[in-house]
Amino acid sequence: MSVREFKPLPAQPAPDATTGPIAWVRDNLFSSPFNIAATVIILASLAAVVPGMVDWLFISANWSGTSQDACVKDGACWVFISAWSQQIFYGSYPTEEIWRVNLSLCLLAGVIALSFLLPDRLRNKVAVPAFLLLPFICILLLDGTMLGLTPVTTDLWGGFSLNVLLAAASIIVAFPFGFLWALGRRSEMPFARSVSVTCIEFFRGTPILALFFMGSVMLPLFFPADVTVDKLLRVWIILILFMSAYMAEVFRSGFQAIPSGQYEAADSIGLGYWQKTLLIIFPQVIKVSMPNILATFVMVFKNTVFLLVIAVPEMLQVIMSALSNSNWLGGHAIEGYLFVGFIFWACCFSMSLLATTIEKKLDTGHKN
Amino acid sequence: MFSKKTAEQIQLETRPSGNGATAFYNNPKYRGWIYQSILFVFIIGFFYSIISNTLDNMSAQGIKSGFSFLKTSAGFDVLMSLIPFETTDSYLRIFMIGILNTILVSIIGIIFSTILGFIFGIAYFSRNWLIKQIAIVYVEIFRNIPVILQVIFWYTVFNALPIARESLNLGDAIFLNVTGLYFPLLVGESGSGVVYGAIIAAIIAVFIVKRWAKKRQELTGEQFPVLWSSLGILVGLPLLALLVTGIPFHFDYPALRGFNFQGGVSVIPEFLSLAIALSVYTGAFIAEAVRAGIQSVPKGQTEAARSIGLKESKIMSLIIVPQSMRVITPMLNSEYQSLVKNTTIATAIGYPELFTIFAGSALNQVGQAIEIMFMTLAIYFAINMVISLVMNHFNKRTELSTR
């Protein structure tokens, strides 16, 4: 039996450039024939499209002016947006009363900030009631009759502020409803459970547009003949019910994430049902469901655009009526839709970033 | 001796609050009944007031009730229908046309959104940095813009196309203009039945080969090139039938006659805009689902597969994708259902699906909101039920079986 002699290979020089920009380009763009082809094709098509787009959007775009005549260059006519900006943001709300819309938006921002800034002890006692009161304070403020301000009827409310306030007001009121429905769905009482399941499945299974439609054609039939229900109020009711169903499912998955030991511990120290639910389980459910709550909010915020179908003057509806205005018949549809698209994209994208951040922050809690 | 106590008795005796707790209203069982009775009374009252108000209002406004309106003539035209239609036809036929158009756009949307979703979901894991960035940009842009805006945007784009005389032309076969998309229709002549038969036979043969190959692999460990042989059968058998029967097919090309194209298949711009917007929007969500699914497969699985010497392509198709389908399938289910619900936005551009022509036009004329909304919603529930059943069946096969 012969033993092969061990011959070490000669030492090789260190591989050149495994880090740094050149290595990065080689690894990430030109690692295989397929990748080289893909990179070349993508770069070529970007080079073909991007300069023209940038030129149309920014360089030869018309930025200043007040009327269509200002759009002389062949780029985008952003004058269209700036001329209609008040309508786009506030609808037909009277100019001298716009501070009320702004104040409502500030209140909303303030309450959100409050719930982040307040110390833990005060948060539940101050922020929660503030949140629940907020929609009603905003309605009083915007309507103005009860506060002795100039009354502004709801058909004048509109624009982007309506999208924001309607979405916020819906999700705030849907919070307790969704929580109750989720509790109902988990409860051991057969009748309560089946009622909750029916509600949740009905509102989740129905297209939101059909719900809005029912709100505008069927809800008036449900009320006594002498009661007229405001159109915006009907929309709000529909949005609340719709949101509640989605929130109920969010909360249900939150409940399922709570270890049963938490329930047992609460039982063992003799807490009653509501004490157990509100003091032990609910805070944990909220924490776990926060990213999903934000995702649901993004969804309802996007869905407020659907209201244009029943002629509620939300942002896109305002743009579309501006497009058919006789002073602006130059075909500015692309600018208008791009603007609406960009605004919604910016809002929804930043909220989904926030959701991801929260998710990462909470990730340490239950998993390790 | 200990007497056996029920859980209820133990609970009552061990309650810290002592005697007061034994009162009947503190007994969870009775309390449950009390709560439920209150709920029951509330719901009965709620529905009683709604129904009585509705009946009062309907009689005050002179709205009839019942389904007899379905037989009367609708008297309006629809833009597109898969079954023959005249303006004198009944509301029932409008209802059928609406259902068919909804199903058509749903199926097209589901197919294309799945393709887009899987392409971009897998592209996220590409080694090419640019491809990965494109996948991210696609998802983040189209997921975050309201779908109704996307539909209206595409509709505006199609309305800006040139007129029929100046159509965009691809090889004199496919035309695109402001009235829609036109492409050739494959028409079968006598003898085409043989070819269709060959296609069916080829599909059956592929299943038999697949089963035989699996059995053989289990018995002997030898692998049979199933993919290539099935492709061969699927292409070869119909091709053979085509040649034997002397190619009994011809294309019906669209041609410009008068002001518009005749012949071939024509697709209206409303359908195109709706299908594109729904596919792109839902595709972005499906891409996210696919990404989450692939990420949910532990890295150890890939490493284990590499360590037994599987090729990279086999790792993806045999190890990663089957396991990620467990996470993807339930998400696909809800995405498909929301796609079907989103077809209702057709009403913003006037594509004649169920919601537009039945809950819109027909409701406007007849005014019987209750019946029409009930019928419309029942159809959406039914379609979603079918999707749910199919996806759950599919889910059962991919589910992790645990003991």
Side-chain angles (χ1 to χ4, degrees):
Chain A
M1 210 160 89
S2 67
V3 178
R4 274 199 289 166
E5 194 192 344
F6 174 68
K7 266 189 251 164
L9 292 169
Q12 289 183 335
D16 53 328
T18 52
T19 53
I22 295 165
W24 184 89
V25 166
R26 205 174 48 203
D27 280 354
N28 290 292
L29 299 179
F30 301 105
S31 56
S32 69
F34 170 76
N35 277 341
I36 294 172
T39 304
V40 170
I41 292 172
I42 292 170
L43 288 179
S45 36
L46 283 181
V49 174
V50 170
M53 254 169 62
V54 170
D55 181 60
W56 187 83
L57 282 173
F58 304 108
I59 298 170
S60 35
N62 304 279
W63 294 95
S64 58
T66 48
S67 74
Q68 191 166 21
D69 305 329
C71 291
V72 282
K73 290 190 273 183
D74 43 329
C77 180
W78 297 121
V79 178
F80 172 67
I81 302 296
S82 64
W84 286 91
S85 56
Q86 189 189 326
Q87 292 264 316
I88 290 172
F89 204 80
Y90 300 105
S92 325
Y93 213 83
T95 313
E96 61 275 16
E97 303 292 333
I98 277 175
W99 62 270
R100 277 147 62 176
V101 184
N102 287 335
L103 184 60
S104 304
L105 290 169
C106 288
L107 282 177
L108 176 64
V111 173
I112 292 173
L114 212 62
S115 64
F116 279 103
L117 297 176
L118 279 180
D120 282 355
R121 274 168 48 77
L122 283 174
R123 192 181 294 160
N124 293 344
K125 286 175 191 145
V126 179
V128 172
F131 256 118
L132 292 178
L133 279 177
L134 183 74
F136 304 98
I137 295 174
C138 286
I139 289 172
L140 286 184
L141 197 63
L142 291 174
D143 179 62
T145 329
M146 302 260 271
L147 301 178
L149 299 161
T150 329
V152 181
T153 51
T154 52
D155 48 325
L156 297 178
W157 307 7
F160 185 62
S161 55
L162 184 69
N163 291 66
V164 174
L165 289 173
L166 204 53
S170 310
I171 202 160
I172 289 170
V173 182
F175 227 83
F177 276 105
F179 189 63
L180 277 182
W181 287 3
L183 280 182
R185 192 167 187 160
R186 288 175 57 81
S187 123
E188 279 157 14
M189 298 183 265
F191 182 67
R193 189 169 58 225
S194 48
V195 169
S196 300
V197 170
T198 315
C199 284
I200 294 172
E201 293 304 330
F202 176 77
F203 285 105
R204 266 166 53 90
T206 313
I208 178 77
L209 214 58
L211 288 176
F212 285 149
F213 226 70
M214 284 164 77
S216 69
V217 297
M218 277 167 80
L219 268 189
L221 291 177
F222 292 166
F223 289 99
D226 49 338
V227 180
T228 50
V229 187
D230 187 83
K231 187 181 190 177
L232 219 50
L233 181 62
R234 287 184 309 217
V235 165
W236 193 32
I237 294 174
I238 292 292
L239 270 175
I240 288 171
L241 291 172
F242 175 76
M243 281 305 299
S244 307
Y246 277 86
M247 292 296 278
E249 289 297 277
V250 167
F251 285 136
R252 183 164 77 124
S253 67
F255 276 120
Q256 280 170 358
I258 308 299
S260 57
Q262 295 290 325
Y263 292 88
E264 287 156 10
D267 284 336
S268 77
I269 55 170
L271 294 184
Y273 178 76
W274 286 108
Q275 285 172 317
K276 176 173 76 178
T277 310
L278 290 178
L279 298 176
I280 309 289
I281 308 299
F282 184 58
Q284 300 187 58
V285 169
I286 290 291
K287 194 176 142 188
V288 177
S289 331
M290 206 54 211
N292 288 333
I293 293 173
L294 268 176
T296 319
F297 181 77
V298 169
M299 185 188 72
V300 77
F301 179 57
K302 277 191 294 177
N303 280 345
T304 53
V305 183
F306 283 41
L307 288 171
L308 78 97
V309 173
I310 53 167
V312 169
E314 52 73 51
M315 192 186 191
L316 188 56
Q317 168 81 19
V318 170
I319 293 270
M320 288 170 84
S321 53
L323 286 174
S324 57
N325 185 292
S326 55
N327 292 329
W328 289 91
L329 289 177
H332 305 292
I334 300 293
E335 287 93 331
Y337 297 149
L338 274 182
F339 182 73
V340 180
F342 175 73
I343 297 286
F344 272 92
W345 177 82
C347 295
C348 296
F349 181 66
S350 46
M351 275 186 281
S352 67
L353 276 188
L354 184 64
T356 325
T357 322
I358 294 177
E359 206 164 351
K360 276 193 189 133
K361 222 177 190 175
L362 296 179
D363 203 25
T364 49
H366 288 287
K367 281 184 185 162
N368 294 325
Chain B
M1 289 295 277
F2 294 106
S3 61
K4 264 198 170 168
K5 287 176 177 169
T6 61
E8 212 172 283
Q9 281 171 323
I10 294 173
Q11 202 182 358
L12 282 177
E13 282 173 19
T14 51
R15 266 181 172 248
S17 36
N19 277 339
T22 53
F24 84 98
Y25 51 82
N26 274 335
N27 184 326
K29 199 170 129 196
Y30 296 124
R31 199 154 49 178
W33 281 108
I34 295 170
Y35 282 151
Q36 292 193 80
S37 330
I38 294 173
L39 184 66
F40 184 71
V41 169
F42 172 75
I43 284 176
I44 292 293
F46 180 71
F47 277 102
Y48 175 76
S49 83
I50 278 188
I51 291 170
S52 65
N53 283 337
T54 308
L55 290 178
D56 287 351
N57 288 329
M58 277 168 67
S59 65
Q61 293 173 24
I63 305 175
K64 280 183 290 181
S65 60
F67 289 95
S68 56
F69 74 94
L70 284 173
K71 294 197 195 87
T72 53
S73 163
F76 62 87
D77 204 5
V78 282
L79 203 56
M80 168 193 152
S81 64
L82 296 175
I83 48 176
F85 177 76
E86 284 166 32
T87 46
T88 50
D89 280 338
S90 65
Y91 283 113
L92 188 64
R93 204 162 179 86
I94 292 272
F95 184 57
M96 301 308 296
I97 290 171
I99 295 175
L100 289 177
N101 283 347
T102 297
I103 291 178
L104 177 72
V105 81
S106 304
I107 290 177
I108 298 283
I110 284 177
I111 292 174
F112 282 101
S113 63
T114 311
I115 294 174
L116 279 177
F118 271 83
I119 288 176
F120 284 103
I122 291 175
Y124 181 83
F125 297 93
S126 167
R127 283 196 60 192
N128 189 315
W129 183 81
L130 278 173
I131 295 181
K132 180 176 173 167
Q133 295 311 306
I134 285 179
I136 294 175
V137 167
Y138 165 75
V139 168
E140 293 300 350
I141 286 187
F142 290 103
R143 197 175 60 147
N144 286 322
I145 294 178
V147 60
I148 199 163
L149 177 63
Q150 296 188 32
V151 168
I152 292 173
F153 176 82
W154 288 112
Y155 192 53
T156 317
V157 169
F158 282 112
N159 271 330
L161 286 173
I163 55 165
R165 208 168 289 280
E166 296 150 19
S167 304
L168 304 175
N169 182 341
L170 193 75
D172 269 337
I174 301 171
F175 301 92
L176 185 66
N177 63 42
V178 69
T179 60
L181 176 73
Y182 299 82
F183 57 87
L185 174 68
L186 194 65
V187 183
E189 293 157 5
S190 66
S192 58
V194 180
V195 181
Y196 294 134
I199 293 174
I200 295 170
I203 293 172
I204 296 172
V206 165
F207 274 102
I208 294 172
V209 167
K210 208 173 165 188
R211 184 168 280 187
W212 171 78
K214 196 180 174 198
K215 201 171 235 172
R216 195 176 82 136
Q217 192 183 353
E218 276 165 6
L219 285 175
T220 64
E222 283 174 68
Q223 285 183 346
F224 185 75
V226 179
L227 183 70
W228 293 111
S229 53
S230 351
L231 270 178
I233 295 171
L234 274 179
V235 176
L237 213 54
L239 204 66
L240 195 71
L242 266 180
L243 292 177
V244 168
T245 51
I247 315 186
F249 287 100
H250 73 270
F251 280 110
D252 180 17
Y253 286 99
L256 190 63
R257 285 192 204 106
F259 288 111
N260 212 344
F261 285 88
Q262 306 278 315
V265 184
S266 65
V267 187
I268 55 172
E270 287 83 1
F271 181 87
L272 285 177
S273 344
L274 186 63
I276 292 178
L278 285 179
S279 308
V280 169
Y281 181 75
T282 315
F285 285 91
I286 293 180
E288 277 286 280
V290 170
R291 183 169 74 112
I294 292 179
Q295 272 175 343
S296 75
V297 179
K299 208 176 169 214
Q301 296 286 324
T302 320
E303 289 165 349
R306 282 205 187 112
S307 76
I308 57 168
L310 277 184
K311 278 190 287 184
E312 289 294 322
S313 57
K314 290 263 174 189
I315 296 178
M316 205 59 178
S317 64
L318 293 176
I319 309 290
I320 310 289
V321 170
Q323 294 190 69
S324 62
M325 282 316 282
R326 278 176 208 139
V327 176
I328 297 174
T329 323
M331 286 170 147
L332 279 185
N333 187 359
S334 60
E335 291 311 333
Y336 290 161
Q337 294 192 21
S338 69
L339 185 141
V340 171
K341 285 189 280 170
N342 277 339
T343 56
T344 52
I345 54 172
T347 193
I349 55 168
Y351 169 71
E353 48 73 78
L354 180 61
F355 192 75
T356 315
I357 56 173
F358 198 62
S361 314
L363 177 58
N364 261 336
Q365 292 192 355
V366 184
Q368 287 181 250
I370 309 280
E371 291 89 343
I372 289 185
M373 286 315 286
F374 173 77
M375 288 172 75
T376 312
L377 292 188
I379 294 299
Y380 284 106
F381 277 110
I383 296 178
N384 279 343
M385 197 80 85
V386 170
I387 291 178
S388 197
L389 281 177
V390 172
M391 295 306 285
N392 282 339
H393 172 74
F394 190 59
N395 194 27
K396 279 234 174 70
R397 292 173 43 179
T398 57
E399 224 168 29
L400 194 68
S401 49
T402 48
R403 267 173 278 189

